[in-house]
Amino acid sequence: MKKNKNRLTTFVVLFSSATAIIHIANKIIAASASLKEMLDSNRRNYYKWRFGEIFYTKKGSGSPVLLIHDMLPGACGYEWNRIEEELAMEHTVYTIDLLGCGRSEKPGVTYTNFVYVQVICDFIRNVIGEKTDVITSGFSGSFAVMACRNEKNLFNRLILVNPPAPGNLTQMPSRKDRLLKYFLEIPVFGTLVYHIIVSRVNTSDFFIENMVFDPFHMDQNLLDAYYEAAHRGGCYAKNVYANKASKYMNIDITRGLKEIDNSLYIVEGEDEPNGIFIIEGEAENNGAAVVDSYRSINPSVESVTIPHTRHLPHMEDPEKFLEQIGIFL
């Protein structure tokens, strides 16, 4: 009996020591990720939403344009920094960090498509205050479609950059997905796993393999910004990733696409990869097949392909990107 008690005591001491060490390591990793200070949050605006403060910038004057970043780990408003100034010459440009991302607050809520639909609608209604053109990147295109379907009076034209295939969005969380979310949200150990997933090496490899057309001319500042944003907020930075990886943000947008009569424009990178986004752990079928799937639901969808670009055409060829959306806006 005494021997078993000693073993239990030893286990508790070792487990507590390991937990403390990992907790300290997590703190150091999160702090070191922000050393370059790529994400400036000084002298900017915050919208006090019901679940937390949402960071945004406002530039220029003219008809309003709202820029909404992708939902990959580390994605935030910095994604648009190469086109903001040019757009602001003719438009009032609002760039937002969605709830749980970048410089916005990261509450411990379940991040669903509906949450972001509400964020976008409330932001346009309460901050912009008039009908708005919206440009989205990647997965956030699904938020814009459903938000427009819910409140058409807030939206003018929609431009979706490399949006997800509608068929992929119908996948609902399975028991395995729910277990993944639960594990990632475990304090300390779940955070450690998340830090491994978004390590600098994994982030760099992910960009090289899936994000850029020419990895030899990759924008190092963008990579640093993604790495910093993926760790900003400490242990709370993992919340969005845990929910997206577990398919909690998925929703069938078919009905939304059918019902909206707003102008809808898709911009795709010429080399947008088919196959698997490794860091997300899920298949993303992109390219011409995606455009065709949107047109099969809504025949009025227009599209353009930016040559020599991949997932971020607005970063890889901002001049060509601005030229194309300038035709549409």
Side-chain angles (χ1 to χ4, degrees):
M1 186 72 177
K2 185 176 180 181
K3 189 175 182 180
N4 290 335
K5 185 177 180 180
N6 288 337
R7 285 178 178 174
L8 179 61
T9 301
T10 301
F11 172 77
V12 170
V13 171
L14 290 175
F15 181 79
S16 299
S17 299
T19 302
I21 292 171
I22 294 173
H23 177 67
I24 293 171
N26 285 335
K27 291 282 189 181
I28 293 172
I29 291 170
S32 63
S34 300
L35 290 178
K36 292 188 177 182
E37 297 183 340
M38 298 300 300
L39 305 180
D40 176 26
S41 57
N42 296 325
R43 301 182 301 279
R44 297 297 188 268
N45 305 298
Y46 284 89
Y47 167 48
K48 293 184 178 180
W49 196 57
R50 68 192 76 165
F51 291 138
E53 293 189 339
I54 295 180
F55 175 91
Y56 71 96
T57 61
K58 178 182 177 182
K59 299 178 180 179
S61 60
S63 61
V65 175
L66 174 61
L67 304 178
I68 306 176
H69 59 80
D70 200 352
M71 296 305 293
L72 297 169
C76 65
Y78 186 91
E79 178 181 328
W80 303 102
N81 78 317
R82 297 192 68 183
I83 69 167
E84 284 177 306
E85 299 297 336
E86 288 291 327
L87 270 180
M89 295 177 67
E90 297 182 7
H91 304 275
T92 303
V93 179
Y94 295 84
T95 306
I96 190 174
D97 282 6
L98 291 172
L99 189 72
C101 303
R103 292 149 287 193
S104 292
E105 202 165 336
K106 299 172 171 63
V109 300
T110 298
Y111 293 87
T112 64
N113 190 285
F114 180 74
V115 167
Y116 288 114
V117 165
Q118 290 302 302
V119 168
I120 294 168
C121 289
D122 288 347
F123 185 84
I124 294 176
R125 182 186 300 105
N126 299 322
V127 177
I128 300 177
E130 59 181 302
K131 213 168 186 179
T132 302
D133 293 315
V134 177
I135 305 177
T136 69
S137 174
F139 196 90
S140 63
S142 64
F143 306 153
V145 168
M146 298 308 293
C148 184
R149 180 235 176 185
N150 286 359
E151 300 198 46
K152 294 180 182 180
N153 59 306
L154 298 177
F155 296 85
N156 194 9
R157 290 156 292 202
L158 300 183
I159 299 177
L160 314 183
V161 182
N162 286 321
N168 289 344
L169 295 171
T170 61
Q171 301 170 14
M172 292 295 103
S174 64
R175 182 173 181 273
K176 181 180 177 181
D177 294 322
R178 291 191 290 271
L179 286 173
L180 173 64
K181 179 177 180 292
Y182 175 78
F183 178 75
L184 287 171
E185 290 178 344
I186 294 175
V188 183
F189 295 98
T191 304
L192 175 64
V193 172
Y194 171 74
H195 281 164
I196 293 172
I197 292 171
V198 297
S199 67
R200 185 174 289 278
V201 172
N202 283 343
T203 301
S204 179
D205 289 346
F206 173 65
F207 263 76
I208 290 171
E209 295 171 9
N210 299 288
M211 298 288 279
V212 295
F213 178 82
D214 185 357
F216 298 104
H217 293 86
M218 186 166 58
D219 186 341
Q220 188 62 42
N221 287 335
L222 179 65
L223 184 62
D224 290 339
Y226 264 70
Y227 181 69
E228 179 180 331
H231 293 81
R232 197 177 179 111
C235 63
Y236 301 104
K238 66 185 178 183
N239 292 342
V240 165
Y241 174 80
N243 283 270
K244 184 174 184 296
S246 304
K247 301 184 177 69
Y248 277 76
M249 293 185 195
N250 284 5
I251 192 171
D252 188 351
I253 64 172
T254 303
R255 186 173 176 182
L257 281 172
K258 285 181 179 179
E259 292 182 358
I260 62 175
D261 53 10
N262 302 65
S263 296
L264 184 60
Y265 197 52
I266 293 178
V267 180
E268 59 175 354
E270 176 189 29
D271 198 36
E272 172 68 350
N274 300 312
I276 297 176
F277 277 10
I278 297 171
I279 204 166
E280 287 292 297
E282 60 187 59
E284 292 282 357
N285 299 316
N286 291 290
V290 172
V291 174
D292 290 341
S293 66
Y294 276 80
R295 285 203 181 113
S296 68
I297 300 169
N298 187 334
S300 66
V301 170
E302 300 178 68
S303 69
V304 68
T305 299
I306 308 294
H308 308 301
T309 64
R310 213 168 191 181
H311 191 66
L312 301 170
H314 44 294
M315 293 296 295
E316 293 193 271
D317 194 345
E319 292 81 12
K320 188 68 175 178
F321 181 84
L322 286 166
E323 176 186 329
Q324 292 300 322
I325 66 170
I327 297 171
F328 191 67
L329 290 179

